């Protein structure tokens, strides 16, 4: 069923300030429209409930990848194609590049944005596990304010998040602390390309004196939100990456995730795949 297009309004403000003023002056009336790759699917299906959209695609203030000594900062409108063509991201944040290369096909990669992926808040989205494992922070801006918050904790429940009706997601910031770390990203879907994840696993780790000194693990499609596996991370800290650790971690990770049966998979399959990927990650750390 197709939506009746005249029922919708799309406005194109001249600047970020104008977009934010609109959000502030008519709270809840307007919503952002970035690449439109999630929104247009709903529109086509006649399932796009909201009627008034602000086109933010042309706002240069929300674009660009900046690198300084401590961080890489990405505008919310950074596309998957932008991600894949950035050399610093390739060297230091390869899981984000892998996620981008496995997101949709070329048309989606040219148009879909990281900001849209985050705010669309699908638990099966492919960039959020990498962003969580890299300890990303996000900037929310309104007419009156700008605030940075850890990405971890931004999503509070299925499609629930800490963003006000007058705010836009403006930037995503990654700390440049990944040199020498092991990066491990796997997307498991029905097929190799153009699949929605059944499980998406992203993890980084450091080993000192044959012990895991630091690790961050995030998994998608196994809970109402993409989750950080904090209990498993705690267990791994200070342990050798050996078979006993694999066994214990495999038991522990079932408490970090809450998979369900749905049209793409079963809870049992998701749990087993998550355990297999965790075991593989620990073997990769061991080298
Ligand atoms: C064929 C196809 C394949 C796909 N494959 C994948 C895949 O493999 N993996 C995956 O993760 N996703 C996939 N997607 C989903 C989609 O492409 C991504 O989620 C994309 O990143 C959305 O970005 P967008 O800019 O198009 O968002 P939009 O559709 O413009 O917006 C999505 C939501 O985010 C909000 N929003 C957007 N930008 C902002 C902002 N800056 N501040 C506040 N709110 C904002 C919008 O209001 C809307 O609610 C696919 C989609 C299609 C159609």
């Amino acid at each position: 069923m197709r939506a009746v297009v005249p029922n919708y309004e799309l406005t194109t403000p001249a600047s970020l300030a104008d977009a934010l003023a609109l959000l502030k002056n008519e709270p809840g009336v307007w919503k952002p429209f970035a690449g439109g790759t999630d929104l247009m699917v709903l529109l086509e299906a006649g399932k796009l409930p909201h009627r008034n959209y602000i086109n933010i695609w042309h706002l240069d203030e929300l674009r660009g990848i900046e690198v300084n000594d401590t961080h890489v900062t990405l505008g919310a409108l950074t596309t998957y194609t932008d991600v894949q063509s950035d050399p610093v991201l390739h060297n230091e944040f390869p899981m984000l590049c892998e996620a981008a290369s496995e997101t949709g096909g070329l048309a989606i990669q040219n148009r879909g944005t990281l900001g849209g992926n985050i705010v669309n808040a699908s638990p099966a989205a492919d960039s959020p596990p990498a962003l969580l494992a890299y300890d990303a922070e996000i900037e929310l801006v309104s007419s009156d304010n700008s605030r940075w918050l850890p990405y971890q904790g931004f999503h509070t429940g299925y499609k629930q998040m800490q963003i006000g009706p007058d705010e836009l997601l403006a930037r995503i910031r990654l700390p440049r602390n990944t040199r020498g770390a092991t990066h491990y990203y796997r997307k498991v879907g029905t097929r190799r390309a153009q699949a929605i994840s059944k499980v998406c696993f992203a993890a980084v780790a450091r080993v000192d004196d044959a012990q895991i000194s630091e690790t961050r693990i995030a998994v998608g499609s196994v809970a109402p939100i993409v989750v950080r596996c904090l209990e498993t991370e705690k267990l791994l800290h200070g342990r050798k990456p050996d078979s006993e650790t694999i066994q214990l971690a495999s038991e522990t990770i079932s408490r970090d995730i809450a998979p369900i049966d749905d049209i793409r998979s079963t809870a049992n399959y998701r749990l087993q795949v998550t355990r297999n990927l965790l075991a593989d990650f620990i073997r990769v750390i061991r080298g």
Side-chain angles (χ1 to χ4, degrees):
M1 183 171 138
R2 297 192 118 200
V4 184
V5 175
N7 287 346
Y8 291 87
E9 191 173 343
L10 181 76
T11 186
T12 300
S15 65
L16 177 61
D18 287 354
L20 294 174
L22 205 53
L23 290 173
K24 183 184 176 186
N25 295 338
E26 297 181 71
V29 172
W30 299 94
K31 285 200 175 178
F33 194 107
T37 59
D38 279 312
L39 291 173
M40 287 305 292
V41 172
L42 293 174
L43 179 87
E44 272 291 302
K47 289 181 181 166
L48 187 60
H50 205 83
R51 302 284 163 189
N52 298 76
Y53 288 92
I54 302 180
N55 174 19
I56 59 171
W57 180 253
H58 60 293
L59 296 179
D60 288 340
E61 299 98 318
L62 303 179
R63 277 199 191 282
I65 300 177
E66 285 174 17
V67 181
N68 68 19
D69 287 348
T70 56
H71 290 89
V72 176
T73 304
L74 308 139
L77 293 176
T78 300
T79 64
Y80 300 107
T81 302
D82 297 334
V83 167
Q84 290 174 79
S85 30
D86 188 88
V88 178
L89 292 177
H90 262 286
N91 285 335
E92 298 180 32
F93 302 97
M95 298 194 299
L96 192 58
C97 298
E98 277 187 66
S101 72
E102 297 201 29
T103 295
L106 282 183
I108 295 297
Q109 291 174 15
N110 284 338
R111 186 80 196 179
T113 66
L114 288 181
N117 203 224
I118 291 172
V119 179
N120 187 57
S122 164
D126 292 319
S127 297
L131 294 172
L132 278 180
Y134 286 139
D135 231 358
E137 296 169 298
I138 56 175
E139 184 193 30
L140 301 175
V141 293
S142 66
S143 273
D144 311 318
N145 200 15
S146 148
R147 60 185 178 119
W148 282 97
L149 57 158
Y151 178 42
Q152 189 195 341
F154 174 66
H155 294 295
T156 53
Y158 180 70
K159 299 264 178 185
Q160 303 295 309
M161 66 208 96
Q162 301 186 54
I163 188 167
D166 62 339
E167 287 181 312
L168 283 176
L169 172 54
R171 291 185 288 175
I172 301 142
R173 186 160 74 183
L174 302 169
R176 297 182 72 188
N177 58 8
T178 61
R179 273 185 204 280
T182 300
H183 308 244
Y184 180 96
Y185 181 88
R186 297 286 186 280
K187 168 174 173 169
V188 177
T190 306
R191 53 189 185 208
R192 282 289 298 154
Q194 301 253 34
I196 302 179
S197 292
K198 293 173 190 243
V199 174
C200 182
F201 187 104
V204 285
R206 256 174 222 293
V207 176
D208 287 320
D209 287 337
Q211 292 180 339
I212 300 168
S213 59
E214 190 189 345
T215 185
R216 287 187 299 278
I217 303 168
V219 193
S221 273
V222 292
I225 59 174
V226 177
V227 286
R228 264 286 289 278
C229 298
L230 296 173
E231 218 180 308
T232 308
E233 292 174 13
K234 198 168 152 201
L235 171 99
L236 291 177
H237 186 82
R239 292 194 67 93
K240 289 194 175 98
D242 56 17
S243 44
E244 188 192 348
T245 297
I246 289 175
Q247 177 63 35
L248 288 172
S250 169
E251 287 159 23
T252 306
I253 205 160
S254 65
R255 296 194 289 277
D256 279 319
I257 64 177
I260 56 166
D261 296 339
D262 65 15
I263 49 162
R264 286 195 304 281
S265 194
T266 64
N268 269 340
Y269 179 83
R270 288 179 158 122
L271 174 60
Q272 193 51 53
V273 168
T274 304
R275 285 177 158 159
N276 292 348
L277 294 174
L278 177 64
D280 193 41
F281 166 56
I282 296 171
R283 283 188 210 105
V284 168
I285 299 174
R286 188 169 58 197

